Amino acid sequence: MASIVTGWLGEWVDSGVIAGVVVINAIVGFLQESKAAQAIDALASLSPAFTRVRRDGATHSIPTHEVVPGDIVILEAGDQVPADTRLFEARHLQIDESSLTGESQPVFKTADALGRETVLADRRNVAYAGTHVLAGRGEGIVWATGDHTETGRIAWLVAQDSDLSTPLTLKIAQFSKILLWAILALATITFGIGVVRGEPPAEVFLAAVALAVGAIPEGLPAAVTIVLAIGVSRMARRRALIRRLPAVETLGSTTVICSDKTGTLTENRMTVQEIVAGGRMYSVTGSGSDANGIIHFGGSPFAPNEHPALVECLRAGMLCNDAGLQLDGGQLNLSGDPTESALLVAAFKGGLSAQASAHEAPRIDVIPFESEHMFRATLHDREGGRIIYQVGAVERLIGRCTEALGPDGAPVPIDSQAILRVVEGMASRGLRVIGCFRRHVESNHRQLEHSHVAHGLTFLGLQGMMDPPRAEAIEAVRRCQAAGIRVKMITGDHLATARAIASQIGIQGPKANQPLMAITGAELAAVTDEELPEVSEQTSVFARVAPEQKLRLVRALQSRGHVVAMTGDGVNDAPALRHADIGVAMGRGGTEIAKSAAAMILTDDNFASIEAAVEEGRGVFDNLTKFIVWTLPTNVGESVVLLAAILLGTQLPILPVQLLWINMMTAILLGLTLVFEPRESGIMDRPPRDHRQPLLTFELVMRTGLVSLIIGLGAFWLFHHETTVAGLDVAVARTAVVNVIVAVEIGYLWSCRSLLKSGLLMNPFSNRWVPAGILAMSLAQLALTYVPVMNKLFHTAPIPAVTWLHIGGVALVAFAAVELEKLIRLRMGKR
């Protein structure tokens, strides 16, 4: 509108500059948003190309999108389930449902009927669309496809939830409304006063337009886009990819992070951490794929020849196993069932070789794991006879034992109750406990039957495993909590496991000295909407929750005034990711639907990147605040100068085209240098910023008013002095006014490098853009003042040397006033 009005009045330079600013800002915003966001067809990527079905008694391979309810689907290892399917046949069928339920363990499926109230994660007779078959075989009848599946229902929840405004966009919108009405009111008052005083309406209207142009911070929209874009670039270097620009700032005001457990806080790889054999407790170091881990006993690495019971326990876990292991540098490449992989790695850390052991004791037969029996057994041929190794649930198999292996490897009487107490203690620490057993049999055994392992077993030991927390996640959680950010774990895993992991990671209660509170999805379902905000506030661990409950929790926390960041990688996280103030998805292990719902993607799947992103977000908001605090006094000061001239009936001390020169050149050469300002020390030692707090605090508003007053009075005094006292031409006086406003801005820019600390303490080279910008702006002002072409375009004129002294004096007063105000507030804050 300002461009049209100034063009209508013949001010083509003004009109062109304003129009150019609008176009450039629109182009920058469009290009950045287009680059940051990618369109992702999530549901299509979750479907396999073809599916085997049985129709009219014949087996067909058809495109997945042609599967309809009523089809008989055949599932085998490696398949992706095409639709929600009720199984009527399941032979050793194991399915990975971690992307849907958050459960890190493979689910053993059955065809048995279950109760109607069975929660999603416990429905063992259903195969869900988008999940993966790890082992076994199954058949079932399709009862839901597309949008009617559990995956489709989650996608619908995401689609129903519109994008929410961020704290930054809300503050900018509120600030813009206030600024708009203030400028309109001021321009209207200016026009009215001029008309009442009998001034020509056209001249008064031009003055009002000049006042509006001077009051509008033209550089603010571009600065907001650029500061956010720079934040995007900085976060990308710290492995956080921003899909929507305002998410950069939102991280800085985050008060709660709701994090999924599996694959986010943990490694998503089962790892043996404790072993009990021969009555001794051993600890195992290293993660699931770390080849450098070792087994400790009493704080020292164990010697295999001194611990025969442990060696036999490890051998049982290694031979009764179908997982694969290959050493690649310092990492182990694993394949197969996660539990079997963990047993294989434990044996490797104990110095056993799978190839050598398989050669010494080749396998003859196997009883595969079945959920109804809860064990797996293998028959091997060894020197001196044949032997059966068995691993499984201790409570199912301990009653079949007649003896245990002592610390020296000799049989000893078994104390079943003592063993079960040890199992209970390990389980309370969140460990999944696997028992290891053996039985010597005659050499004529060629097949392995269930009757062979129904009695006469020797108890070898226990191996306790869990999906361990990421080491970097522990430090990241600590830093977040030190910065006043609550971390809550929301998972589909079991309560005991979730509580144990939360304790290991260091997740705290509402306050550091309060106990950790945990709740299950079933208990959460009984909580009313009125009670939920308080429950969500006090609870730190939520286990066995459904997707709708995650979304419900995020909304409850937001109702308490929290700015919520939700991290996750699975399909089940998508609705909450979309509704959260900022959704954070995992780039490597995350599903595409989670990525499409998120505002930020971690390219390394590392929770520690969250803390880095929060730090960057706080720095972004600080720099944006610095720019606004710096630029507003110029606009307000210019308005004061013009308003004073109109009220007093004097000539305008500055022309519209000169105002545009000041506003645009200083915003580009001076103001934008603040967006490169490095983060201030201690940025993560302060609590999160209250998102209800105005964009500018009372202290910053008062500082803005102080500088605005100095600019207005200084410029008006200088104009009056140059025209009346010095007797200089009006063009010279106006040139002096332009220079004094810029000079004050240069000094104030240096002070604004820190909102709290003195500008005199700032390192001149910590942000090299600032001195470079000051130099460039100074050269531009000299050109504006002394180059004839610039004099003609902008109605300026050369000024004498003594005038520069007056200009420097006003700028020095402004800088000193701001530094004194900072010092006073700093001393008052320490009292």
Side-chain angles (χ1 to χ4, degrees):
M1 180 61 71
S3 176
I4 295 174
V5 172
T6 51
W8 178 65
L9 293 173
E11 301 291 340
W12 299 111
V13 174
D14 302 37
S15 177
V17 171
I18 295 173
V21 171
V22 173
V23 171
I24 291 173
N25 182 63
I27 292 174
V28 170
F30 173 78
L31 292 178
Q32 185 59 48
E33 292 285 354
S34 298
K35 181 180 178 181
Q38 298 293 330
I40 303 174
D41 189 353
L43 289 177
S45 69
L46 284 174
S47 298
F50 291 91
T51 300
R52 294 177 65 208
V53 300
R54 181 173 289 113
R55 292 178 176 177
D56 299 326
T59 301
H60 305 274
S61 181
I62 65 173
T64 298
H65 66 268
E66 294 183 5
V67 174
V68 297
D71 272 334
I72 303 299
V73 174
I74 302 171
L75 301 174
E76 294 182 340
D79 288 346
Q80 192 175 43
V81 181
D84 286 0
T85 305
R86 171 60 166 91
L87 299 169
F88 56 75
E89 180 180 319
R91 299 176 183 175
H92 318 306
L93 184 62
Q94 301 179 40
I95 296 182
D96 178 9
E97 295 182 351
S98 60
S99 66
L100 181 65
T101 66
E103 171 65 68
S104 57
Q105 302 284 341
V107 179
F108 295 91
K109 293 297 182 177
T110 177
D112 299 339
L114 299 172
R116 294 175 58 89
E117 302 302 322
T118 305
V119 297
L120 184 145
D122 293 331
R123 297 173 190 169
R124 307 294 183 182
N125 58 3
V126 176
Y128 292 105
T131 60
H132 295 267
V133 179
L134 297 179
R137 185 182 186 280
E139 293 188 23
I141 184 169
V142 172
W143 60 274
T145 60
D147 293 342
H148 300 288
T149 64
E150 289 294 329
T151 299
R153 188 166 57 87
I154 293 172
W156 180 85
L157 288 173
V158 173
Q160 293 300 303
D161 196 35
S162 59
D163 285 332
L164 301 179
S165 299
T166 69
L168 176 65
T169 58
L170 292 173
K171 286 183 175 66
I172 292 294
Q174 183 182 22
F175 177 74
S176 299
K177 289 179 182 178
I178 295 174
L179 193 62
L180 172 64
W181 288 110
I183 292 173
L184 289 176
L186 198 59
T188 302
I189 292 172
T190 301
F191 182 77
I193 292 174
V195 172
V196 170
R197 292 176 61 90
E199 302 287 344
E203 293 183 9
V204 175
F205 187 67
L206 180 60
V209 170
L211 189 147
V213 170
I216 295 173
E218 291 94 339
L220 181 58
V224 171
T225 301
I226 293 172
V227 73
L228 293 179
I230 291 174
V232 167
S233 177
R234 287 179 174 177
M235 288 186 178
R237 288 195 293 270
R238 302 184 77 172
R239 304 187 182 280
L241 177 63
I242 301 297
R243 299 182 69 248
R244 291 188 282 274
L245 280 181
V248 176
E249 181 275 335
T250 308
L251 276 165
S253 56
T254 298
T255 59
V256 174
I257 298 177
C258 296
S259 176
D260 184 52
K261 177 185 73 67
T262 305
T264 306
L265 291 169
T266 65
E267 298 179 356
N268 198 20
R269 185 177 294 280
M270 296 299 293
T271 303
V272 174
Q273 296 190 335
E274 295 181 9
I275 302 175
V276 177
R280 297 171 175 174
M281 176 73 76
Y282 302 86
S283 61
V284 186
T285 65
S287 66
S289 58
D290 185 3
N292 298 318
I294 56 176
I295 300 176
H296 284 273
F297 174 69
S300 302
F302 91 107
N305 60 333
E306 297 177 2
H307 302 269
L310 173 61
V311 172
E312 191 66 5
C313 180
L314 294 173
R315 183 178 287 111
M318 181 181 62
L319 290 177
C320 192
N321 200 311
D322 279 335
L325 180 150
Q326 286 186 340
L327 180 62
D328 183 8
Q331 294 293 313
L332 299 173
N333 292 329
L334 304 171
S335 60
D337 178 82
T339 299
E340 294 184 16
S341 296
L343 296 173
L344 205 58
V345 172
F348 176 86
K349 293 175 180 178
L352 276 67
S353 167
Q355 291 79 6
S357 296
H359 178 74
E360 295 171 2
R363 181 188 298 181
I364 299 174
D365 200 7
V366 60
I367 297 179
F369 182 93
E370 294 181 0
S371 56
E372 59 182 300
H373 300 298
M374 299 299 292
F375 72 82
R376 171 186 174 88
T378 53
L379 175 64
H380 299 266
D381 190 8
R382 288 181 62 178
E383 184 179 352
R386 294 189 172 174
I387 189 170
I388 298 172
Y389 284 114
Q390 187 174 14
V391 296
V394 181
E395 61 274 13
R396 290 283 191 96
L397 302 177
I398 196 68
R400 306 180 184 185
C401 296
T402 56
E403 60 185 11
L405 214 59
D408 58 355
V412 297
I414 186 169
D415 186 345
S416 299
Q417 294 304 314
I419 293 172
L420 291 176
R421 284 194 296 269
V422 173
V423 170
E424 185 178 351
M426 295 173 71
S428 68
R429 295 190 291 276
L431 296 174
R432 183 188 181 196
V433 183
I434 302 296
C436 298
F437 310 84
R438 79 179 183 192
R439 182 189 177 193
H440 291 283
V441 294
E442 300 297 330
S443 300
N444 59 357
H445 276 73
R446 297 185 179 277
Q447 290 185 334
L448 190 56
E449 305 290 344
H450 281 273
S451 60
H452 298 153
V453 291
H455 58 85
L457 300 179
T458 299
F459 173 72
L460 303 178
L462 308 171
Q463 296 197 42
M465 62 185 68
M466 69 161 45
D467 180 12
R470 294 176 181 264
E472 57 272 23
I474 297 175
E475 176 63 14
V477 168
R478 185 196 65 78
R479 290 185 178 183
C480 287
Q481 292 177 157
I485 302 171
R486 292 283 308 279
V487 179
K488 296 178 182 289
M489 178 190 291
I490 303 178
T491 178
D493 219 331
H494 295 281
L495 181 62
T497 302
R499 190 194 295 272
I501 291 292
S503 297
Q504 291 184 26
I505 291 174
I507 294 178
Q508 300 173 350
K511 296 182 180 179
N513 59 348
Q514 291 183 343
L516 185 73
M517 291 186 60
I519 191 173
T520 65
E523 295 168 335
L524 194 63
V527 177
T528 65
D529 291 339
E530 292 73 21
E531 299 170 333
L532 187 59
E534 178 63 21
V535 171
S536 63
E537 182 78 29
Q538 299 299 321
T539 307
S540 299
V541 177
F542 301 86
R544 307 298 281 176
V545 297
E548 301 92 327
Q549 291 178 317
K550 294 187 178 185
L551 182 59
R552 190 172 171 230
L553 284 170
V554 170
R555 287 173 171 163
L557 289 167
Q558 289 172 332
S559 72
R560 296 288 293 246
H562 286 293
V563 177
V564 181
M566 168 70 185
T567 70
D569 54 4
V571 174
N572 60 329
D573 298 322
L577 286 174
R578 184 64 173 269
H579 187 82
D581 296 282
I582 176 167
V584 185
M586 303 298 116
R588 290 180 179 176
T591 58
E592 295 305 316
I593 196 170
K595 296 176 189 176
S596 68
M600 185 175 83
I601 300 173
L602 302 183
T603 58
D604 60 353
D605 288 12
N606 193 336
F607 186 85
S609 299
I610 294 291
E611 187 271 336
V614 169
E615 188 177 26
E616 290 292 348
R618 292 188 175 189
V620 163
F621 190 85
D622 277 0
N623 288 349
L624 186 58
T625 303
K626 291 172 185 177
F627 177 86
I628 295 174
V629 170
W630 172 82
T631 194
L632 283 184
T634 304
N635 303 106
V636 177
E638 292 168 349
S639 301
V640 170
V641 172
L642 292 171
L643 189 59
I646 293 169
L647 290 175
L648 296 177
T650 66
Q651 297 183 78
L652 292 180
I654 191 167
L655 298 177
V657 69
Q658 295 169 345
L659 290 172
L660 285 168
W661 166 268
I662 294 173
N663 291 353
M664 294 310 306
M665 292 302 293
T666 57
I668 294 172
L669 297 180
L670 297 179
L672 289 182
T673 64
L674 290 173
V675 307
F676 297 99
E677 197 66 32
R679 298 181 304 277
E680 295 190 46
S681 59
I683 197 170
M684 289 299 287
D685 295 332
R686 64 195 191 201
R689 185 184 68 258
D690 187 350
H691 71 282
R692 293 165 293 192
Q693 180 177 299
L695 194 61
L696 298 181
T697 62
F698 175 77
E699 292 79 6
L700 295 180
V701 170
M702 295 301 293
R703 186 180 301 170
T704 299
L706 173 65
V707 179
S708 300
L709 189 62
I710 293 174
I711 289 177
L713 294 179
F716 196 78
W717 168 81
L718 187 60
F719 181 78
H720 176 74
H721 180 274
E722 300 300 296
T723 54
T724 59
V725 178
L728 298 177
D729 185 72
V730 172
V732 175
R734 284 172 174 164
T735 305
V737 169
V738 172
N739 280 291
V740 77
I741 293 175
V742 173
V744 172
E745 284 191 90
I746 288 175
Y748 188 43
L749 175 75
W750 199 268
S751 181
C752 284
R753 293 185 64 195
S754 175
L755 298 175
L756 300 175
K757 294 189 299 185
S758 170
L760 299 174
L761 301 177
M762 300 303 296
N763 182 353
F765 304 106
S766 62
N767 180 3
R768 298 178 184 272
W769 290 100
V770 171
I774 291 175
L775 177 61
M777 191 68 224
S778 300
L779 295 175
Q781 285 303 113
L782 291 175
L784 180 76
T785 305
Y786 296 108
V787 175
V789 174
M790 300 294 285
N791 294 157
K792 183 176 181 180
L793 286 174
F794 293 94
H795 313 291
T796 56
I799 59 177
V802 68
T803 302
W804 286 109
L805 295 177
H806 299 153
I807 291 171
V810 174
L812 185 61
V813 169
F815 183 80
V818 173
E819 291 301 302
L820 181 61
E821 182 263 350
K822 282 186 179 181
L823 180 62
I824 293 173
R825 291 194 183 279
L826 184 62
R827 290 184 175 180
M828 291 177 61
K830 291 182 177 180
R831 292 179 181 176

